[in-house]
Amino acid sequence: MEVTIESALAEHSPIGVPRATLEELDGAVRSAADRIATGREQDEHGYAALNLPEETDPEPIEAAVESVTPAENWLTIGIGGSALGAATITEALDGDGETYYLDNVDPADIAALLADIDLSETAMNVVSRSGTTAETLANFLVVRGAMEAAGVDWTERTVITTGESGPLATLADRHDLPTLTVPDGVPGRFSALSAVGLAAAAFQGLDLEAILAGGRRAEASLADSLFESPAYAYGATMYALEAQGANVAAMMPYAESLEAFAEWFAQLWAESLGKDGRGQTPARALGATDQHSQLQLYRAGPKDKVVTLVRPRERPSVPIPETSQEAIDYLGGSDLRALIDAEFDATEASLRKAGVPAIRIEIDALDATGIGELLYTMEAACIMAGELAGVDTFTQPAVEWGKDTARALLRGEQSLETMDGLSVRSGPESQ
């Protein structure tokens, strides 16, 4: 993997980082790297996530999945980090079987899924560390009810991924369900390289050891200087860019199968670093599609953005047939691989020309090793950025406030009338 920060420097952008600033920042990076290393050695909360490539054992994950298969479909029921890591991995890689994710409680979407999927050929994985996540439990109850109505024995088709105690752990014990453990000390958004993120991959027959090997490759590249570590280079540069006014972090992978990765990154960056009145707002884009839309804003809008461009160096070849039409003959005889790489290079040059800082991330290939390396690198980068910013990277108090309020509303302990706000309505009732 290679992280290139040249286009994020001050000589190319009015909100870029001066080279001297990065050199001065490297001392703080060294101290932060030491703190991260100590946290890992002591298996401290949050820092323990960076030990997962060494500690995660694929065998119990594969055994739990095999105990509820054969099935044609794998349905992960979770929310946020309980689903996005798994979705990133299965969508990036080409495995067998269909994977679905219930990570929201939109009734129309869930009703449509249950109407279309063959529940007799579906296994589900219910994921919640606490076992009390309202959205996850509600969706599980809905799917379980649908299975019972269809005459499907849900106990033969369910894996529970949870902590040592809680309602889901109790349920698993009562029905003797296969259980996977959410690792201690690892927040959900950092859990992709554990059973949380790998069960769906195991169902698809993907190489879990290769995914973890990619994480170990990224782990081996950690160093005490931002100039020697791709992960720390990214985290430190993003931190420095925020100080320069780059308050929006656009993630723009140039691979259709990395669209879920941009979703995963958005949660990781926002939930981890949005503290104490600071933090960059993630934006999700997809190359080359969003060159025809969002790029207009990035180039000509407010100079408050940094764009991260991600691509694999290796891609499959899809030749473009020759054509006799003069206006498009430059395409004929070329390849879609060459076209999307040209689009990537053109976007990077376009951003630089417009004075918009950009960071390029290139992985060797979009395979099991590559996705493991990419996920680990972004997690380590996020932790470095949090250390430099002096925020508690591993908490999410604002998220917990919203959860508690939703539960209070459902229990009737609070009403909307007691909450401050202003509603503007349309329709006959507003007349």
Side-chain angles (χ1 to χ4, degrees), residues 350-373:
S350 173
L351 292 168
R352 183 187 292 201
K353 180 70 172 177
V356 178
I359 300 175
R360 185 197 322 153
I361 297 178
E362 295 175 293
I363 58 176
D364 293 339
L366 196 46
D367 56 14
T369 303
I371 197 66
E373 186 176 14

Side-chain angles (χ1 to χ4, degrees), residues 31-377:
S31 297
D34 288 343
R35 173 68 187 97
I36 293 169
T38 298
R40 292 183 60 198
E41 289 169 5
Q42 298 177 1
D43 229 24
E44 292 182 38
H45 179 76
Y47 302 101
L50 298 183
N51 297 332
L52 287 176
E54 296 287 351
E55 296 180 352
T56 300
D57 183 356
E59 288 189 10
I61 301 171
E62 292 166 342
V65 171
E66 288 173 4
S67 71
V68 295
T69 52
E72 294 180 357
N73 310 306
W74 183 265
L75 178 60
T76 299
I77 303 176
I79 194 165
S82 295
L84 285 173
T88 295
I89 293 169
T90 58
E91 292 187 21
L93 305 176
D94 187 17
D96 299 324
E98 298 295 330
T99 54
Y100 301 88
Y101 296 89
L102 281 185
D103 59 351
N104 205 338
V105 287
D106 181 342
D109 184 66
I110 292 166
L113 174 63
L114 293 177
D116 290 343
I117 197 171
D118 183 352
L119 293 174
S120 68
E121 293 293 341
T122 299
M124 63 176 164
N125 182 23
V126 188
V127 188
S128 169
R129 176 196 299 279
S130 66
T132 62
T133 307
E135 299 90 344
T136 300
L137 294 179
N139 283 337
F140 165 60
L141 292 173
V142 169
V143 175
R144 185 176 74 174
M147 283 187 166
E148 290 174 341
V152 177
D153 186 349
W154 66 273
T155 65
E156 294 183 353
R157 314 201 69 77
T158 302
V159 174
I160 300 293
T161 304
T162 192
E164 293 183 1
S165 62
L168 284 179
T170 300
L171 181 78
D173 288 340
R174 182 184 305 147
H175 295 282
D176 195 26
L177 304 177
T179 304
L180 293 170
T181 302
V182 178
D184 289 336
V186 178
R189 58 191 178 276
F190 288 92
S191 65
L193 298 179
S194 73
V196 174
L198 295 177
F203 167 76
Q204 287 198 322
L206 299 173
D207 189 342
L208 304 194
E209 180 53 43
I211 296 170
L212 294 169
R216 291 193 292 271
R217 178 190 291 177
E219 178 186 16
S221 73
L222 298 181
D224 62 0
S225 169
L226 71 90
F227 300 108
E228 298 174 7
S229 170
Y232 292 165
Y234 186 80
T237 303
M238 291 290 278
Y239 163 77
L241 284 167
E242 183 190 350
Q244 295 292 116
N247 297 316
V248 177
M251 176 58 68
M252 192 171 185
Y254 273 70
E256 195 81 21
S257 61
L258 284 179
E259 192 166 14
F261 163 74
E263 296 269 354
W264 172 85
F265 171 84
Q267 183 199 6
L268 178 75
W269 215 252
E271 191 172 355
S272 300
L273 303 177
K275 315 276 172 66
D276 304 332
R278 62 178 304 142
Q280 293 166 310
T281 300
R284 290 160 283 189
L286 181 65
T289 302
D290 286 313
Q291 287 180 217
H292 298 267
S293 54
Q294 294 186 41
L295 185 60
Q296 173 66 36
L297 173 66
Y298 299 164
R299 292 192 82 246
K303 291 296 187 288
D304 61 353
K305 301 169 187 66
V306 51
V307 183
T308 301
L309 306 169
V310 182
R311 71 173 168 189
R313 288 192 172 116
E314 295 180 13
R315 299 183 188 268
S317 174
V318 178
I320 302 172
E322 297 280 1
T323 176
S324 59
Q325 291 183 260
E326 184 176 347
I328 59 173
D329 61 1
Y330 69 95
L331 293 172
S334 184
D335 194 286
L336 290 181
R337 175 176 57 192
L339 177 58
I340 196 168
D341 281 341
E343 300 272 21
F344 180 102
D345 293 337
T347 297
E348 184 178 34
S350 173
L351 292 168
R352 183 187 292 201
K353 180 70 172 177
V356 178
I359 300 175
R360 185 197 322 153
I361 297 178
E362 295 175 293
I363 58 176
D364 293 339
L366 196 46
D367 56 14
T369 303
I371 197 66
E373 186 176 14
L374 180 62
L375 289 167
Y376 188 98
T377 297

